[in-house]
Amino acid sequence: MTPLRKLRETVLARVRALPLAQHLWARVRKRRYEAHVARFLQDGSGRADRLPSGVVYEATMRCNLHCDFCYVGDLLNIEGQWRDELAIDALRTAFPEREGLQVNLTGGEIFMRKDILSVLALFEDKGYDCGCLTTNGTIITEARAEALAELALRGFLKHISVSIDGPRDLHDVARGQKGTFDKTTAGIRRLREAAGRKGAPLRISINTTVAKESLETLDQMVDVASELGIEAIGLNHLMYSTPEEVKETLALIGSDDPGVIATYVTANPMVRPSTVREKVASLREKCRAKGIRFDFRPKVLTQLMDDYYDPGAKLAGRCLYPFNWARVSFSGKVYFCPFIRVEVGDLATQTLEQVWNGEKYVAMRKRLLDAKLFPVCRRCCKVELSPEPLPREVQERARAPRAIPLTVVR
């Protein structure tokens, strides 16, 4: 990064930290986004731009923890263990040269991949911006923290999201290993100290999830963040689909394989909407009192809470994620989206540009536009939910008895 660009990035990072600037910047981003996606909606063919705006690269499906609630290993690694992670040379060939392309890395636990810093260096060399890394934080060593802070100093790495499920005891139980909380918080401190020594504009946030096991202690995440000096908390609402929504979606996408639906499938999420509303409100207020930024996804506004956590209710909205972001697995397989793991290409034999507007990708996008929103997409972190709930009469019609028996998907 040139000195001028580095100065520009530093100034922008400080300005955007101001509340008024955050608000104005959000409005600008929204206007830009709407102008961008209007082309796809008007065209209606399913074709996107020549290249995606960003890529989510699932760098590895390996993990050092054994979380009870995690479905990643079973559902996202649907190709099995016979495919290796794409080597550096293969990544160099498959990914395009494009200045400013956004790339986010997730897993598995990305630091289980021994060459992960080489992967990041490759993306930096291609001129990409790494918007976010997701990690459990347990194996961030001093050396890794220094390397990540250096990447942030050069303007490549913007944000690290560390997953924490609750206070120490709850987190350790959820992660299946005593001492995990202490390892995670130690990793966060190493990151903050390394960034501080270098003067690197690295944002570090805590990411937590609504679940029946953690709901009662949800607002205690503010105390965890405050103790660690974390400035932001990201909340994921519980993402799930019902067996009926899976069945309906498979019919819409023309598949008879329930294994391509990669989300938590349940007829009962075991979470009361009223409790979620209360705990999320408490978390938000405590964040405000402590000066900690708070955001959540999907945008389940207060008036949508009842329908979101009612597994029989419909939600209106749209999803244009597959027009903007590519989802690439560790082995190079490209999937339609995080929830619908229909293979649309393979970077082991194709380039991303060849895949992006390939026949399979375009056909799936066309089906999404025609359906407006697939049923399993209603409770996905990528969905753009309509701010108002559907009228009661629409919900009642949706609950009408059906003659076709449902297949329970595990």
Side-chain angles (χ1 to χ4, degrees):
M1 173 182 283
T2 64
L4 183 59
R5 185 181 174 190
K6 178 181 173 182
L7 177 62
R8 177 176 175 272
E9 291 286 340
T10 302
V11 171
L12 284 175
R14 291 177 178 175
V15 170
R16 288 171 186 168
L18 301 173
L20 178 58
Q22 292 169 15
H23 176 70
L24 294 174
W25 180 237
R27 292 181 63 180
V28 170
R29 288 202 312 269
K30 182 173 177 58
R31 283 199 299 268
R32 288 179 179 174
Y33 175 75
E34 290 298 336
H36 177 68
V37 300
R39 302 197 305 272
F40 312 135
L41 295 171
Q42 291 166 6
D43 177 66
S45 68
R47 288 190 62 82
D49 290 338
R50 184 176 68 86
L51 287 169
S53 301
V55 178
V56 175
Y57 180 44
E58 298 164 353
T60 183
M61 282 297 119
R62 291 177 288 139
C63 191
N64 60 321
L65 301 179
H66 305 282
C67 309
D68 289 340
F69 57 83
C70 183
Y71 57 82
V72 169
D74 292 334
L75 295 185
L76 300 195
N77 190 14
I78 57 177
E79 59 204 65
Q81 297 296 332
W82 62 274
R83 291 279 298 262
D84 293 329
E85 295 155 2
L86 277 186
I88 296 297
D89 287 343
L91 287 171
R92 182 176 291 108
T93 300
F95 280 83
E97 304 290 336
R98 182 177 176 182
E99 187 78 19
L101 181 73
Q102 294 291 308
V103 62
N104 295 341
L105 273 72
T106 185
E109 170 48 50
I110 63 171
F111 291 104
M112 287 293 288
R113 180 163 175 165
K114 292 183 179 179
D115 66 348
I116 190 64
L117 292 176
S118 297
V119 173
L120 292 171
L122 168 66
F123 290 147
E124 183 183 20
D125 288 344
K126 284 182 175 288
Y128 297 0
D129 290 326
C130 185
C132 183
L133 302 181
T134 301
T135 175
N136 63 40
T138 59
I139 50 178
I140 296 178
T141 61
E142 293 284 357
R144 284 173 175 159
E146 287 291 326
L148 294 169
E150 183 63 31
L151 289 173
L153 184 64
R154 296 202 297 264
F156 169 69
L157 176 59
K158 305 295 192 289
H159 176 209
I160 295 178
S161 175
V162 183
S163 303
I164 298 183
D165 304 301
R168 176 178 283 102
D169 291 345
L170 188 149
H171 181 78
D172 284 357
V173 170
R175 297 284 160 167
Q177 189 177 123
K178 189 173 179 58
T180 301
F181 181 88
D182 291 336
K183 291 177 182 177
T184 295
T185 54
I188 290 174
R189 289 191 174 96
R190 291 187 188 108
L191 285 169
R192 293 192 67 250
E193 289 166 3
R197 284 193 298 271
K198 292 180 178 292
L202 178 61
R203 290 181 287 124
I204 304 169
S205 69
I206 285 176
N207 185 60
T208 194
T209 302
V210 171
K212 64 182 178 66
E213 295 85 359
S214 61
L215 189 54
E216 288 301 321
T217 59
L218 189 63
D219 55 1
Q220 293 180 31
M221 292 304 300
V222 177
D223 302 322
V224 174
S226 183
E227 182 181 346
L228 292 170
I230 296 296
E231 298 175 354
I233 293 177
L235 174 70
N236 286 328
H237 279 281
L238 181 66
M239 290 176 279
Y240 71 98
S241 294
T242 66
E244 181 175 346
E245 287 169 337
V246 171
K247 186 180 181 71
E248 292 171 348
T249 300
L250 291 174
L252 289 170
I253 66 175
S255 174
D256 58 1
D257 179 13
V260 302
I261 306 300
T263 186
Y264 176 42
V265 180
T266 179
N268 184 0
M270 304 290 289
V271 175
R272 293 174 60 88
S274 58
T275 307
V276 177
R277 187 182 293 109
E278 173 192 342
K279 291 298 181 179
V280 171
S282 177
L283 174 59
R284 182 188 292 109
E285 287 304 312
K286 286 187 175 182
C287 282
R288 184 179 293 117
K290 292 280 190 178
I292 294 173
R293 293 176 61 185
F294 172 71
D295 199 6
F296 57 98
R297 60 177 189 171
K299 296 303 180 187
V300 185
L301 304 179
T302 301
Q303 61 268 27
L304 296 177
M305 206 79 76
D306 286 339
D307 288 345
Y308 188 91
Y309 285 98
D310 179 352
K314 290 183 179 291
L315 293 157
R318 67 180 187 181
C319 179
L320 295 166
Y321 179 90
F323 285 87
N324 295 297
W325 287 83
R327 192 85 180 192
V328 181
S329 77
F330 65 95
S331 69
K333 288 190 176 182
V334 183
Y335 293 107
F336 180 63
C337 76
F339 269 22
I340 302 176
R341 306 287 283 191
V342 172
E343 185 182 337
V344 291
D346 191 345
L347 299 191
T349 58
Q350 302 167 280
T351 66
L352 182 59
E353 184 171 356
Q354 290 170 336
V355 170
W356 184 239
N357 275 308
E359 184 179 344
K360 290 183 179 179
Y361 228 147
V362 171
M364 283 291 293
R365 292 194 195 105
K366 178 68 165 61
R367 287 177 173 175
L368 176 59
L369 288 179
D370 291 344
K372 295 186 178 178
L373 191 66
F374 293 139
V376 298
C377 303
R378 293 169 185 154
R379 296 168 179 87
C380 168
C381 58
K382 311 302 180 188
V383 70
E384 300 172 33
L385 291 174
S386 297
E388 295 300 328
L390 289 169
R392 287 296 94 190
E393 56 268 23
V394 174
Q395 299 290 7
E396 291 304 318
R397 286 200 301 272
R399 295 173 186 275
R402 297 173 182 264
I404 301 174
L406 300 178
T407 301
V408 176
V409 181
R410 295 186 182 277

